């Protein structure tokens, strides 16, 4: 039972963190660590009781992992080509293609290191695998917890329904992606209204350099044209980023109702990062999502994950540097002068 203590501690910390505020990134990491430690404890127990079965299971897991990486690389490359064809060659649209190429490069490095078995290649491959494993662990944590967060029910009252902008087409037209957010906001407003409240619907988005009017105004026009009461719409028309969307909307809501509660509406791939940003900016509310086209989802999720990595760049940079230094130390340790060169092929 001692082997399960780390898992129990992490899962307990996860439960406490989720009860205090479900919008924490640490919740995702603690949940992931709890599951990993539990799996490791189970594997150690199995390897101790039935060694041969444990070895067979380890080999099977390695084979499945290799096949999974190959399949994922192919999927990302195919999705990347689709994104470029349908959405253009912007950096955000190239993320899935870039991730697929990175996986192919990692597989090529591993294959070359196993074939040549030179000290430098083996250490480089081990370091690359460690970095990839770290990123993969964080991504799985993000994906699983984001899915869990999106399925949690919101039972509190809400005084506002805030819709985050996402850009206009042709300078004045609401695109399908943004229309999905607005339609989802109307549904949520109707649900809250059935409970006896009449929340204000707050459209949030400023005017970009290629736009003829602020996004929030075009969003409001879209709602009014479809029969939504104009007197229940408020506009926040200064923001240009998600953080500004939430910061400026928070200021408007606090001014009118200091103890407000709100529901923030965005697309499903953006829900968790918007929730994390809402927490960091002091917004009193949770986030829900509108559906997104299937082909757009993988690249969009990767973009959200990269944005979260950058939001915590100091922590991630420190851990990346630690892994790299570990690789350099291993390379030095296995050098000819150390007497351990044979461990990594000389």
């Amino acid at each position: 039972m001692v082997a399960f203590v780390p898992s129990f501690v992490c899962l307990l910390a996860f439960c406490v963190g989720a009860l205090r505020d479900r919008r924490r990134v640490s919740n995702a990491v603690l949940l992931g660590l709890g599951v990993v430690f539990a799996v490791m404890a189970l594997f150690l127990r199995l390897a101790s009781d039935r060694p041969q079965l444990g070895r067979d299971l380890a080999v099977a897991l390695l084979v499945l992992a290799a096949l999974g990486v190959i399949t994922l690389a192919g999927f990302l490359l195919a999705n990347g080509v689709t994104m470029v064809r349908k959405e253009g060659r912007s950096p955000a649209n190239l993320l899935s293609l870039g991730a697929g190429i990175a996986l192919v490069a990692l597989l090529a490095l591993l294959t070359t290191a196993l074939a040549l078995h030179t000290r430098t290649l083996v250490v480089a491959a081990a370091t690359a695998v460690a970095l990839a494993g770290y990123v993969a662990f964080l991504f799985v944590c993000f994906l699983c917890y984001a899915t869990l967060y999106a399925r949690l029910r919101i039972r509190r009252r809400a005084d506002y329904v805030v819709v985050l902008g996402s850009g206009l087409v042709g300078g004045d037209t609401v695109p399908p992606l943004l229309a999905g957010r607005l339609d989802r906001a109307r549904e949520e407003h109707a649900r809250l209204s059935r409970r006896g409240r009449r929340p204000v619907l707050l459209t949030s988005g400023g005017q970009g350099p290629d736009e003829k009017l602020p996004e929030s105004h075009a969003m409001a026009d879209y709602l009014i044209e479809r029969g939504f009461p104009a007197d229940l719409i408020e506009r926040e028309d200064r923001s240009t980023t998600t953080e500004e969307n939430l910061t400026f909307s928070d200021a408007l809501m606090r001014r009118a109702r200091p103890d407000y509660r709100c529901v923030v509406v965005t697309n499903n791939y953006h829900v968790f990062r918007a929730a994390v940003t809402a927490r960091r900016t002091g917004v009193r509310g949770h986030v829900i999502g509108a559906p997104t086209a299937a082909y757009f989802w993988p690249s969009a999720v990767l973009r959200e994950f990269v944005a979260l990595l950058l939001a915590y760049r100091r922590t991630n940079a420190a851990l990346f540097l630690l892994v790299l230094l570990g690789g350099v130390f291993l390379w030095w340790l296995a050098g000819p002068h150390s007497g351990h060169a044979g461990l990594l092929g000389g």
Side-chain angles (χ1 to χ4, degrees), residues 182-217:
L182 292 165
D183 293 339
R184 181 73 173 89
R186 290 175 64 195
E187 293 174 6
E188 183 63 17
H189 190 278
R191 185 186 72 83
L192 293 167
S193 296
R194 286 194 294 270
R195 293 177 143 189
R197 304 192 68 86
R198 292 272 283 175
V200 173
L201 200 152
L202 198 161
T203 56
S204 178
Q207 185 171 351
D210 58 343
E211 294 174 339
K212 301 175 184 177
L213 74 167
E215 293 173 24
S216 58
H217 291 221

Side-chain angles (χ1 to χ4, degrees), residues 22-181:
R22 67 182 71 167
R23 303 172 298 175
R24 296 173 181 266
V25 171
S26 58
N27 293 341
V29 176
L30 287 169
L31 178 60
L33 286 173
V35 173
V36 168
F37 285 144
V39 171
M40 289 175 61
L42 286 171
F43 184 79
L44 289 173
R45 173 68 64 85
L46 180 63
S48 175
D49 294 343
R50 304 179 66 181
Q52 184 58 47
L53 179 59
R55 286 191 290 270
D56 292 342
L57 182 59
V59 172
L61 289 175
L62 285 173
V63 172
L64 286 175
L67 292 175
V69 171
I70 293 170
T71 303
L72 181 60
F75 169 76
L76 288 172
L77 289 171
N79 179 254
V81 172
T82 301
M83 282 294 296
V84 170
R85 190 173 68 248
K86 292 190 175 184
E87 301 290 336
R89 297 183 180 180
S90 69
N93 295 336
L94 292 172
L95 279 175
S96 55
L97 185 62
I101 293 172
L103 286 178
V104 171
L106 178 63
L107 289 171
L109 177 60
L110 281 171
T111 302
T112 305
L114 290 173
L116 300 180
H117 206 64
T118 62
R119 174 170 60 102
T120 300
L121 274 177
V122 170
V123 172
T127 304
V129 168
L131 290 173
Y134 172 72
V135 173
F137 169 74
L138 290 181
F139 181 73
V140 172
C141 290
F142 160 75
L143 191 62
C144 293
Y145 188 72
T147 302
L148 176 62
Y149 177 90
R151 294 180 180 277
L152 295 176
R153 298 282 297 176
I154 300 172
R155 301 185 181 278
R156 293 176 177 172
R157 65 175 176 83
D159 306 296
Y160 290 89
V161 177
V162 182
V163 191
L164 305 183
S166 65
L168 302 176
V169 174
D172 59 0
T173 304
V174 171
L177 194 75
L178 184 52
R181 297 184 185 188

